[in-house]
Amino acid sequence: MRIDILTLFPEMFSALEHSIVGRAQKSGKIEVNFHNFRDFATNTQKHVDDMPYGGGQGMLLMPQPIFDTMASFPHENARVLMMDPAGRTFDQKFAEELSQESQVVFLCGHYEGFDERIKSLVTDEVSLGDYVLTGGEVAASVMIDATVRLIPDVLGKKASHEDDSFSSGLLEYPQYTRPEDFRGLKVPDVLMSGHHENIRKWRLRESLAKTLRLRPDLLEAYDFSDEEKAMLSDLKAADHAV
Ligand code: ADE
């Protein structure tokens, strides 16, 4: 995957040099290119923003530096993402969709909004969540991280993201590693039993219980099997009994 990032602050992306995303760059599974759009400003002071017509607070990114930066590299079939708190909220499903693309462009503003005409260059307006950041850089870093780990072979061969929270529509069940007893905190017996069917059922029940407790909104969109339906009504009944 080719990733292009339009930003005034490329140094804010140093997180991408490390760990799994860093390795994906070194092994050539992804290529990351930075474009500082201040380099494309044509005015002598290298300004990239100006006051909004009609008045109002704050500055807006001007179209010219962004249009000229976009014209400076190939992106014919790319997804072009504008980092914008007013965009659609980024989620695991969108990360999965992006991980299939051959090129993704991230357009990051800083402090300010965008001149509306910049949106003609963009395929998706995307927000990290319902809060306002100082700029799009942190949001783009998060989206790149979540996307790159889903590219085939970026996680080790043994690793799997199919059990991740969200990828099934439920939160992930609790997991334990050694020791079996840590300062009196014990691993549930069922996980030590070697009984695969009981372990599977326990994990499913824990996933459902955790999702019901922390993210009941996810259950509204979930397509339940008969087994899951029965478990969920048990859990709800147990909850009411308390
Ligand atoms: N820029 C400022 N806030 C943002 C957010 N929540 N998501 C994406 N880009 C942003």
Side-chain angles (χ1 to χ4, degrees):
M1 175 187 284
R2 174 178 165 142
I3 295 172
D4 291 272
I5 304 172
L6 277 71
T7 175
L8 296 173
F9 298 96
E11 61 280 10
M12 285 185 74
F13 289 87
S14 58
L16 304 181
E17 289 161 23
H18 305 283
S19 184
I20 289 163
V21 182
R23 249 185 285 139
Q25 285 198 67
K26 285 185 196 98
S27 68
K29 293 194 178 76
I30 61 166
E31 176 196 313
V32 182
N33 304 290
F34 291 100
H35 309 272
N36 189 332
F37 50 85
R38 197 180 298 287
D39 297 341
F40 290 83
T42 48
N43 58 78
T44 45
Q45 302 96 330
K46 294 277 175 194
H47 285 159
V48 294
D49 53 6
D50 211 332
M51 291 180 297
Y53 281 121
Q57 293 271 303
M59 303 282 272
L60 298 177
L61 284 179
M62 296 186 290
Q64 176 272 320
I66 307 292
F67 273 70
D68 287 351
T69 307
M70 289 296 281
S72 73
F73 66 93
H75 60 274
E76 284 70 39
N77 299 311
R79 288 294 275 273
V80 181
L81 274 49
M82 174 187 269
M83 300 297 101
D84 185 349
R88 74 183 265 204
T89 307
F90 185 78
D91 60 12
Q92 187 69 17
K93 219 170 159 204
F94 193 43
E96 277 162 20
E97 195 180 313
L98 288 182
S99 72
Q100 320 271 323
E101 298 283 351
S102 55
Q103 186 181 8
V104 185
V105 180
F106 291 85
L107 171 53
C108 306
H110 217 79
Y111 319 118
E112 61 275 280
F114 298 89
D115 181 292
E116 193 67 17
R117 291 165 290 188
I118 293 172
K119 294 190 183 157
S120 65
L121 299 169
V122 163
T123 59
D124 304 83
E125 293 155 55
V126 195
S127 168
L128 193 59
D130 288 346
Y131 36 78
V132 180
L133 303 167
T134 55
E137 285 78 7
V138 170
S141 300
V142 170
M143 294 180 202
I144 292 166
D145 188 289
T147 299
V148 168
R149 68 186 284 283
L150 299 175
I151 295 172
D153 298 336
V154 162
L155 293 182
K157 285 260 184 300
K158 267 171 70 187
S160 160
H161 41 76
E162 272 141 39
D163 285 342
D164 286 348
S165 287
F166 307 116
S167 64
S168 75
L170 298 176
L171 300 182
E172 198 183 9
Y173 47 78
Q175 304 232 62
Y176 298 82
T177 185
R178 284 190 290 187
E180 198 178 326
D181 182 338
F182 176 69
R183 301 178 186 174
L185 301 169
K186 298 210 174 73
V187 175
D189 287 340
V190 62
L191 297 179
M192 312 302 297
S193 69
H195 192 302
H196 296 301
E197 178 57 9
N198 285 353
I199 292 172
R200 185 192 69 76
K201 282 195 184 133
W202 180 86
R203 286 179 165 167
L204 183 56
R205 194 181 161 85
E206 290 293 322
S207 269
L208 285 163
K210 187 168 165 183
T211 311
L212 183 63
R213 182 165 49 90
L214 298 176
R215 292 294 306 275
D217 57 301
L218 294 178
L219 296 175
E220 281 160 33
Y222 189 68
D223 186 16
F224 290 95
S225 68
D226 289 343
E227 181 188 29
E228 290 164 341
K229 255 186 234 157
M231 270 186 193
L232 187 67
S233 59
D234 276 1
L235 284 166
K236 284 182 173 165
D239 212 25
H240 283 302
V242 178

